[in-house]
């Protein structure tokens, strides 16, 4: 494994992608869980599939198209749910399926052999290109900067946005920032675990962290660590057993959650005696 | 008359539902006003419109220039598992400053939050996660947060709902103390225990009626329905309807 990392640039890219995505997942995943935006994030992820298809059709880097669609979906969902009398859930459902439908249409319309979409749907961290790596580096830096720079107000927004409205703070501004960051995170995750599995990697590490801490900043830090462990382990397993990386990472995460849950239960039992 | 807030012909509609219809009200400086009325009568909507959480469909709210509002929401509306501590919630009172990039809480803010927590008897709980608090304790945390930016008017939504009698009295006495300097508007079901502290009562049932404890002779202006409601809610309480707020209108 170490030889592979030293010798092959695809392994180095994979490792960097895994580390960056763990950092992003820890931060954004915690926010998604606390603000109960899990299905919203799923909607954004699936909408990005339309952009990926469009990328193929226009002959540009598909992930750029996916990113554009994800951000547009985030902005649209926030805007429409404020104006129209439609449940957010319904809106998310529409974006979710329309994104997938557009993706399939665009890919069918793309001349030549249809590209293999499995790596976008289920992730393939071993094929991360350097363009992609630069993109996720930039996005990860932006997310880290915004979260650390605005941590207190974002925490306030997550806990009680009504109160910020009363104080005359432009809550919508933070809402847009947050949703755009979720879109960014989703795009970062696409190559790692794929559109369909994104939600798992965004939610499982924070869920594990939440078992052991009740401070927002600590949950974020612990889920970053958990994310790093599960994605590197997933990468190792997938390399040695020649199995799909995305699915492996998810299975490792879920198993970790179960172990953490049982461990916590046991610990509490010990303490209560 | 030094008026903090004037509500003029306020209508709030949620879709086709009329939550408030032509409500008029003037809240005087340092008044202790109780907003009462049946469930679904629009009490909370009125409070939320005053603090800016709900947009009026019609009419308007005029707030005295420079008046600082403090808001204490229903404590039951919070996600109790949210990973934050008492101290952090109190410090959220200075959210405006927290908007700055890489904001670090000033020593003076910590000091102020400490004073407030001591005043409200929750200082010992400052590192507790909010899910570990009782209803009364959480209520005090929210009051402390509202006091962080020295409000001139404190608007409270059902602050004593599902709180034990002793804590309730403690909170009322606290509000009474705060009332020496601040205007207090409180939405409540707990009319009987609250009554001795109130200067006036505003009864909202889609339309609204304003009573004042000081005078009695205008009771006859009440419609029969309102008189019954009033008698039920405040047996023996003197009432007054301000002429300018006379908007008794059946809907």
């Amino acid at each position: 494994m170490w030889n592979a990392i030293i010798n092959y640039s695809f392994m180095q890219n994979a490792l960097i992608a895994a580390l960056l995505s763990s950092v992003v997942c820890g931060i954004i995943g915690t926010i998604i869980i606390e603000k109960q935006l899990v299905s919203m994030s799923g909607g954004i992820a699936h909408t990005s599939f339309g952009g990926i298809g469009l990328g193929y059709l226009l002959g540009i880097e598909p992930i750029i198209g996916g990113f554009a669609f994800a951000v547009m979906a985030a902005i649209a969902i926030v805007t429409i749910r404020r104006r129209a009398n439609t449940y957010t859930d319904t809106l998310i459902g529409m974006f979710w399926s329309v994104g997938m439908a557009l993706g399939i249409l665009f890919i069918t319309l793309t001349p030549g052999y249809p590209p293999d979409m499995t790596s976008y749907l289920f992730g393939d961290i071993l094929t991360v290109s350097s363009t992609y790596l630069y993109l996720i580096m930039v996005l990860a830096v932006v997310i880290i900067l915004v979260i650390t720079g605005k941590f207190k107000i974002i925490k306030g927004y997550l806990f009680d946005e009504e109160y910020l409205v009363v104080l005359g703070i432009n809550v919508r501004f933070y809402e847009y920032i947050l949703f755009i960051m979720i879109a960014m995170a989703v795009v970062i995750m696409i190559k790692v675990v794929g559109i369909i599995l994104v939600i798992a990697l965004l939610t499982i590490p924070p869920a594990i962290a939440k078992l052991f801490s009740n401070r927002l900043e600590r949950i974020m830090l612990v889920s970053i660590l958990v994310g790093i462990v599960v994605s590197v382990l997933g990468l190792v397993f997938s390399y040695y057993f020649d199995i799909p990386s995305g699915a492996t990472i998810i299975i490792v995460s879920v198993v970790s959650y179960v172990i953490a849950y049982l461990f916590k239960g046991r610990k509490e039992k010990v303490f209560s005696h | 008359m030094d008026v903090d807030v004037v509500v003029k012909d306020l209508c709030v509609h949620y879709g086709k539902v009329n939550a408030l219809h032509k409500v008029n009200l003037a809240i005087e400086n340092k008044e202790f006003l109780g907003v009462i009325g049946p469930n679904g009568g629009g009490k909370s909507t009125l409070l939320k419109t005053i603090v800016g959480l709900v947009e009026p469909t019609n009419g308007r709210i005029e707030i005295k220039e420079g008046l600082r509002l403090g808001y204490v929401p229903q404590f039951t509306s919070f996600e109790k598992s949210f990973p934050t501590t008492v101290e952090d919630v109190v410090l959220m009172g200075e959210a405006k400053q927290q908007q700055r990039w890489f904001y670090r809480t000033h020593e003076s803010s910590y000091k102020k939050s400490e004073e407030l927590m001591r005043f409200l008897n929750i200082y010992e709980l400052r590192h507790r996660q909010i899910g570990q608090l009782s209803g009364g304790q959480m209520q005090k945390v929210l009051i402390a947060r509202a006091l962080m930016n020295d409000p001139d008017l404190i608007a409270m939504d059902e602050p004593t709902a599902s709180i034990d009698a002793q804590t309730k009295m403690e909170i009322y006495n606290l509000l009474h103390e705060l009332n020496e300097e601040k205007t207090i508007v409180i939405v409540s079901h707990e009319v009987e225990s609250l009554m001795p502290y109130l200067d006036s009562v505003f009864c909202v049932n889609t339309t609204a009626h304003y009573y004042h404890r000081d005078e009695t002779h205008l009771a006859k202006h009440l419609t029969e329905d309102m008189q019954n409601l009033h008698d039920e809610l405040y047996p023996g309480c003197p009432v007054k309807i301000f002429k300018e707020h006379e908007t008794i209108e059946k809907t």
Side-chain angles (χ1 to χ4, degrees):
Chain A
M1 176 85 185
W2 292 116
N3 276 339
I5 291 172
I6 294 161
N7 292 331
Y8 301 120
S9 65
F10 78 89
M11 275 307 279
Q12 291 159 10
N13 286 356
L15 198 66
I16 297 170
L19 293 179
L20 286 175
S21 61
S22 305
V23 174
V24 169
C25 263
I27 296 170
I28 299 297
T30 305
I31 290 174
I32 287 172
I33 285 203
E34 294 305 339
K35 200 70 182 168
Q36 296 172 1
L37 294 172
V38 175
S39 67
M40 168 88 72
S41 315
I44 292 174
H46 284 75
T47 312
S48 73
F49 190 69
I52 290 168
L54 189 64
Y56 274 113
L57 181 64
L58 300 178
I60 54 171
E61 171 73 35
I63 204 69
I64 305 277
F67 178 57
F69 265 54
V71 171
M72 280 191 306
I75 293 173
I77 292 172
V78 175
T79 312
I80 299 173
R81 75 169 179 162
R82 292 230 178 225
R83 292 194 186 154
N85 194 13
T86 312
Y87 287 117
T88 311
D89 234 22
T90 316
L91 266 179
I92 292 168
M94 283 194 253
F95 273 90
W96 189 303
S97 40
V98 168
M100 294 304 280
L102 283 177
I104 293 161
L105 271 181
F106 290 143
I107 288 159
T108 319
L109 293 174
T110 306
Y113 282 112
D116 178 21
M117 298 306 288
T118 340
S119 75
Y120 290 102
L121 291 175
F122 298 102
D124 189 0
I125 201 169
L126 298 176
T127 61
V128 169
S129 70
S130 37
T131 316
Y132 187 82
L133 213 55
Y134 287 130
L135 178 69
I136 68 174
M137 267 183 207
V138 172
L139 297 185
V141 168
V142 171
I143 288 173
I144 292 169
L145 211 64
V146 172
I147 290 295
T148 47
K150 296 274 187 187
F151 185 76
K152 288 211 163 76
I153 190 74
I154 287 175
K155 186 174 175 180
Y157 167 81
L158 294 175
F159 175 61
D160 185 6
E161 58 177 280
E162 275 201 341
Y163 194 72
L164 303 190
V165 175
V166 173
L167 292 178
I169 292 169
N170 186 355
V171 168
R172 202 163 314 172
F173 172 72
Y174 291 101
E175 191 168 44
Y176 278 121
I177 287 194
L178 214 63
F179 278 57
I180 289 170
M181 285 201 304
I182 293 175
M184 288 175 167
V186 161
V187 172
I188 292 176
M189 310 310 298
I190 285 177
K191 263 288 177 182
V192 182
V193 287
I195 288 171
I196 295 174
L197 304 178
V198 154
I199 290 304
L201 202 52
L202 279 170
T203 51
I204 299 171
I208 293 174
K210 214 178 167 175
L211 291 174
F212 300 102
S213 178
N214 52 21
R215 298 290 294 268
L216 190 67
E217 47 274 48
R218 280 184 215 154
I219 294 180
M220 284 182 177
L221 282 174
V222 175
S223 24
I224 288 173
L225 294 176
V226 170
I228 289 175
V229 172
V230 294
S231 51
V232 171
L233 271 182
L235 200 57
V236 171
F237 290 143
S238 117
Y239 179 79
Y240 279 114
F241 301 111
D242 195 22
I243 45 178
S245 55
T248 314
I249 292 173
I250 300 304
I251 301 299
V252 172
S253 312
V254 175
V255 171
S256 312
Y257 178 82
V258 173
I259 293 171
Y261 181 77
L262 294 176
F263 174 74
K264 204 203 170 202
R266 228 182 115 191
K267 204 171 110 193
E268 274 173 2
K269 237 181 186 170
V270 171
F271 280 125
S272 65
H273 280 296
Chain B
M1 178 165 97
D2 191 7
V3 176
D4 278 354
V5 176
V6 175
V7 177
K8 274 198 177 146
D9 291 330
L10 177 70
C11 300
V12 176
H13 301 172
Y14 294 122
K16 283 182 180 165
V17 179
N18 237 352
L20 291 172
H21 185 71
K22 286 203 173 171
V23 170
N24 286 280
L25 165 71
I27 303 170
E28 289 172 49
N29 189 238
K30 290 181 191 159
E31 183 174 355
F32 197 146
L33 173 73
V35 179
I36 56 123
N39 280 334
K43 304 186 294 287
S44 287
T45 303
L46 176 65
L47 197 77
K48 285 186 170 171
T49 318
I50 290 173
V51 297
L53 284 172
V54 171
E55 283 284 312
T57 314
N58 257 313
R60 60 181 192 274
I61 308 269
E62 290 164 10
I63 291 177
K64 190 166 76 181
E65 211 174 299
L67 188 92
R68 276 181 304 232
L69 289 173
Y71 176 57
V72 181
Q74 284 190 33
F75 69 90
T76 44
S77 64
F78 288 97
E79 181 54 61
K80 292 207 96 182
S81 74
F82 189 86
T84 191
T85 59
V86 167
E87 187 176 51
D88 282 348
V89 175
V90 175
L91 286 170
M92 212 189 134
E94 52 164 30
K96 273 209 143 147
Q97 291 89 303
Q98 289 181 342
Q99 289 194 91
R100 284 183 220 135
W101 280 96
F102 298 100
Y103 180 75
R104 285 182 72 95
T105 309
H106 277 254
E107 205 44 53
S108 58
S109 303
Y110 279 122
K111 240 186 161 151
K112 190 172 179 185
S113 71
E114 184 185 328
E115 273 169 31
L116 287 172
M117 287 188 282
R118 284 192 192 282
F119 170 65
L120 288 152
N121 231 342
I122 48 172
Y123 184 67
E124 310 308 316
L125 309 171
R126 67 192 177 283
H127 297 309
R128 287 255 186 106
Q129 193 259 331
I130 52 159
Q132 299 164 348
L133 303 179
S134 70
Q137 289 167 337
M138 185 63 191
Q139 194 59 59
K140 289 180 185 171
V141 174
L142 296 177
I143 295 173
R145 178 179 73 169
L147 291 173
M148 260 313 267
N149 48 347
D150 301 312
D152 306 301
L153 182 150
I154 307 177
M156 311 179 88
D157 201 350
E158 300 279 6
T160 53
S162 59
I163 283 181
D164 66 89
Q166 198 189 337
T167 314
K168 210 180 282 182
M169 292 322 287
E170 203 185 321
I171 288 177
Y172 289 153
N173 286 322
L174 207 99
L175 294 179
H176 183 64
E177 204 175 315
L178 290 170
N179 184 226
E180 282 172 20
E181 292 176 1
K182 299 172 194 302
T183 312
I184 296 181
V185 182
I186 179 168
V187 164
S188 184
H189 278 108
E190 327 259 344
V191 183
E192 273 161 48
S193 51
L194 189 58
M195 206 57 215
Y197 300 92
L198 298 177
D199 294 319
S200 35
V201 171
F202 192 65
C203 180
V204 190
N205 188 5
T206 313
T207 55
H209 309 270
Y210 191 63
Y211 312 111
H212 199 280
R213 293 206 302 163
D214 299 342
E215 293 184 42
T216 55
H217 62 279
L218 283 168
K220 59 180 181 293
H221 286 291
L222 294 171
T223 62
E224 204 170 294
D225 278 2
M226 287 311 295
Q227 183 67 62
N228 290 342
L229 179 64
H230 173 266
D231 287 347
E232 200 179 296
L233 292 170
Y234 318 103
C237 164
V239 295
K240 172 188 173 182
I241 305 170
F242 282 97
K243 280 239 164 68
E244 62 207 86
H245 307 302
E246 230 173 327
T247 51
I248 299 166
E249 195 173 312
K250 279 271 192 179
T251 43

